[in-house]
Amino acid sequence: MIRAIISGRVIPHQDADPHGLCLIGAVLDDRLDLDDITVPYPLRFVNCEFPAGISANRATLTFLYFRDSVLTIQGEKLAAVDLDQALVLHDCVLERCTSQVASGVGAIRLLGAHVGGRVSFEGTFSNTEGPVLLADNLTADNNLTLAGTYEGCGGAGAVRLAGAYIGGELQCTATITHRGAGDKSGPALDADALTVGNSLFLHGTHAAEGSLGAVRLLGAHIGGQMVSDSVITNPGGPALDADTLTAGDVMILKGRYESRGDDGAVRLAGTHIGGQFRCTATITSPIGPTLVADGMVTAGDIIVRGTHEGAGPLGAIRLQEARCGGQLLLEPRFPGDVVPPSWLVLDGITYQGVPGTTLGDKDPVKAWIELLDHQTLAYAAQPWQYLASQWRAAGHDGEARRILIAQQDDRRDRVVPYASHLRWRRAVSGLSRLLTGYGYQSWRSLIVLSVLVAVSMLLSIGFGPVSCGPTARAQTGLAWAVPIIFSGIDTTCTPTHLWLTIGSWLIHAAGWVFVTLFVTGFTGIIRKSHD
């Protein structure tokens, strides 16, 4: 009867009320079949019951609205609401509705559907045999809103929006839970390759188990900002997996993320962010990283705050090969305010200006030296070199030299001892550190040379031939210590004592060494050899 009315066989479409059909308090024992039908006016169902569900595959509808209604289905091969390939010219709304099914094909289906207005689903939806919402390749020209409670099962996940296009905002304040482990594990929200024309807001609570992650946004494209203020948990894999996501504006992570997988709790590898990236979340990952942002590219700052509890061989926070268009600010907190060793990976990172951190001493250079020296996963030259270049670009050459000296200390401590063919270089490197500061403090060799000159002159004056005057004996001592400059001075006042003659030879050789060290350090030759 309803199909006959809607199709225009009972009331011609041109004679129907423009408000359309509104059914209140109806119970439809049979499945409402609207497949392939065209309805030029709105359809409203208020306080209705659909024990056999509703189907509108490939239908063309003007407006579809359900409120305070119950939509169920008996059988694993039917959905409670089936809108595959449907065209809804305006809004598609489920408000305060309930759907409890056991269907392997999903509770609510919008595969390939096109909605010209907004899509809003709010209520209590569950499916013990499959997904709750299956909307792969959905096109919604306006906003998509998900609210209420969603519980699904199976490998397809609880809520699927893979490949969907949302022309406006996507707002998810729902509690989404995926039930199932092992072969039946899957994501709570699967939105791989999702496109959102405006902003994406994730709130609520999302829970799943499995290596696919609890919330998936792999390759998603967000035209505006992305804000996640959710509680996301996954005991078997990532909590949030958004590798290669693109956001046109800022990305903000708040809330809490918990994972027990070794791939990381929050994955943002290869993301491109058109503004600032700011993380103030509490992230827990006992056997893996808390934040994996290798290859991240941002147009603005990278700010990492919040509480991070992570462990494992990959470190806690990873920013390898990241490209930061603004300032880099690392201010994470750790449980018990105890900074763990080897929690950071920064190989290949670039940023603008001098980076900031609250870790360690208030002196920012000392803090970053401490961070790179003791808290990075392994020695890497690039973070040191880049940090020094940023301080030098800011006009602080002294701070840049401190950083570069600390780099060589770190290299000597963490690389040389473990390379058997380089162990001899540890002693040479230590001598270079003492005498020239690895070539960055050549004044050290000048001080040693000055001490050597004083000792040489005192020995020559004190033990030289009496026939020579003090001045001549002093000149002889000077020639011993600085042969490259005073090689033309008369050295006939050389002492005749054998031990002093041998001493003069040793002083002469040492003088050559320290003069050479000073000259090579001053001209940068030693620095280049260390680099």
Side-chain angles (χ1 to χ4, degrees):
M1 181 187 69
I2 293 175
R3 184 178 176 91
I5 294 173
I6 292 174
S7 64
R9 285 181 287 167
V10 176
I11 302 175
H13 288 157
Q14 64 270 18
D15 296 333
D17 191 309
H19 287 141
L21 175 66
C22 179
L23 233 59
I24 301 175
V27 178
L28 286 74
D29 291 332
D30 294 331
R31 187 172 181 82
L32 178 57
D33 181 3
L34 302 180
D35 290 351
D36 303 298
I37 201 168
T38 298
V39 184
Y41 45 73
L43 297 179
R44 294 180 175 86
F45 302 94
V46 179
N47 198 24
C48 294
E49 294 184 21
F50 297 82
I54 176 175
S55 177
N57 293 325
R58 301 170 301 280
T60 299
L61 309 176
T62 300
F63 177 89
L64 186 60
Y65 178 78
F66 297 86
R67 190 183 72 195
D68 296 318
S69 296
V70 178
L71 303 115
T72 58
I73 190 67
Q74 300 298 324
E76 295 185 0
K77 296 184 179 180
L78 294 174
V81 179
D82 199 342
L83 298 172
D84 288 356
Q85 306 297 322
L87 171 62
V88 182
L89 300 179
H90 297 287
D91 298 345
C92 180
V93 178
L94 276 71
E95 183 178 304
R96 300 197 301 268
C97 292
T98 301
S99 179
Q100 296 178 346
V101 303
S103 171
V105 299
I108 303 170
R109 293 173 59 96
L110 291 96
L111 289 174
H114 186 169
V115 180
R118 66 188 177 96
V119 178
S120 179
F121 294 155
E122 183 261 326
T124 301
F125 310 102
S126 67
N127 185 355
T128 58
E129 298 295 333
V132 178
L133 173 61
L134 192 56
D136 291 359
N137 301 313
L138 165 71
T139 298
D141 294 343
N142 207 319
N143 297 340
L144 170 62
T145 302
L146 300 178
T149 302
Y150 299 72
E151 290 189 9
C153 182
V159 174
R160 287 186 58 90
L161 295 170
Y165 171 82
I166 312 301
E169 293 182 350
L170 194 162
Q171 299 185 17
C172 179
T173 60
T175 296
I176 305 176
T177 305
H178 183 278
R179 304 294 185 188
D183 295 339
K184 293 186 177 181
S185 65
L189 172 61
D190 189 345
D192 290 353
L194 169 73
T195 299
V196 179
N198 205 324
S199 298
L200 169 62
F201 298 98
L202 284 178
H203 301 280
T205 301
H206 314 297
E209 181 176 350
S211 59
L212 295 179
V215 174
R216 290 174 58 90
L217 290 163
L218 291 173
H221 182 91
I222 313 301
Q225 60 181 318
M226 175 183 168
V227 180
S228 177
D229 189 6
S230 306
V231 176
I232 305 178
T233 59
N234 183 1
L240 172 62
D241 192 347
D243 289 351
T244 69
L245 176 142
T246 299
D249 205 337
V250 301
M251 177 186 287
I252 300 173
L253 298 184
K254 300 185 288 185
R256 189 171 75 250
Y257 305 81
E258 297 180 1
S259 168
R260 290 189 175 275
D262 54 7
D263 291 333
V266 175
R267 293 192 55 86
L268 300 172
T271 55
H272 283 68
I273 301 171
Q276 181 187 85
F277 170 70
R278 185 163 68 251
C279 176
T280 59
T282 297
I283 308 177
T284 303
S285 181
I287 63 173
T290 57
L291 174 63
V292 179
D294 295 343
M296 171 184 282
V297 178
T298 68
D301 302 336
I302 292 180
I303 300 174
V304 179
R305 293 192 174 104
T307 301
H308 295 255
E309 183 179 359
L314 298 179
I317 297 175
R318 297 182 56 90
L319 291 165
Q320 188 172 15
E321 300 294 337
R323 301 288 183 267
C324 176
Q327 186 185 26
L328 175 64
L329 183 61
L330 298 179
E331 298 180 336
R333 296 188 304 274
F334 300 94
D337 293 327
V338 177
V339 180
S342 303
W343 61 270
L344 180 64
V345 178
L346 291 177
D347 304 5
I349 192 170
T350 61
Y351 43 84
Q352 302 298 314
V354 174
T357 179
T358 59
L359 296 176
D361 195 86
K362 292 183 179 179
D363 176 5
V365 175
K366 185 176 180 181
W368 268 88
I369 288 175
E370 173 72 15
L371 188 148
L372 294 178
D373 193 8
H374 299 294
Q375 296 163 31
T376 52
L377 191 63
Y379 169 79
Q382 189 274 341
W384 290 100
Q385 294 284 332
Y386 195 82
L387 178 64
S389 70
Q390 294 304 101
W391 278 98
R392 187 179 294 112
H396 302 284
D397 289 339
E399 284 76 4
R401 285 192 292 270
R402 286 174 58 193
I403 294 166
L404 293 171
I405 290 172
Q407 174 199 347
Q408 297 305 325
D409 288 341
D410 186 29
R411 180 178 181 275
R412 182 163 56 93
D413 293 338
R414 290 206 277 182
V415 176
V416 175
Y418 301 102
S420 58
H421 65 288
L422 295 177
R423 288 179 181 176
W424 62 271
R425 297 185 60 178
R426 180 175 175 82
V428 175
S429 181
L431 187 62
S432 175
R433 171 72 165 89
L434 177 65
L435 299 179
T436 68
Y438 303 112
Y440 298 105
Q441 295 177 332
S442 57
W443 51 265
R444 291 172 177 259
S445 59
L446 188 60
I447 291 175
V448 177
L449 181 61
S450 299
V451 173
L452 184 66
V453 167
V455 171
S456 178
M457 291 177 66
L458 288 174
L459 287 175
S460 181
I461 292 173
F463 298 96
V466 180
S467 58
C468 294
T471 302
R473 293 197 297 271
Q475 289 178 344
T476 299
L478 189 62
W480 292 348
V482 196
I484 194 172
I485 300 175
F486 300 101
S487 58
I489 294 179
D490 183 13
T491 58
T492 56
C493 295
T494 301
T496 57
H497 300 287
L498 178 60
W499 65 270
L500 199 55
T501 300
I502 295 174
S504 69
W505 295 344
L506 295 176
I507 292 173
H508 192 75
W512 273 107
V513 170
F514 291 120
V515 168
T516 303
L517 286 175
F518 173 74
V519 172
T520 54
F522 185 77
T523 56
I525 296 175
I526 294 180
R527 291 196 298 273
K528 293 177 182 177
S529 67
H530 282 289
D531 294 343

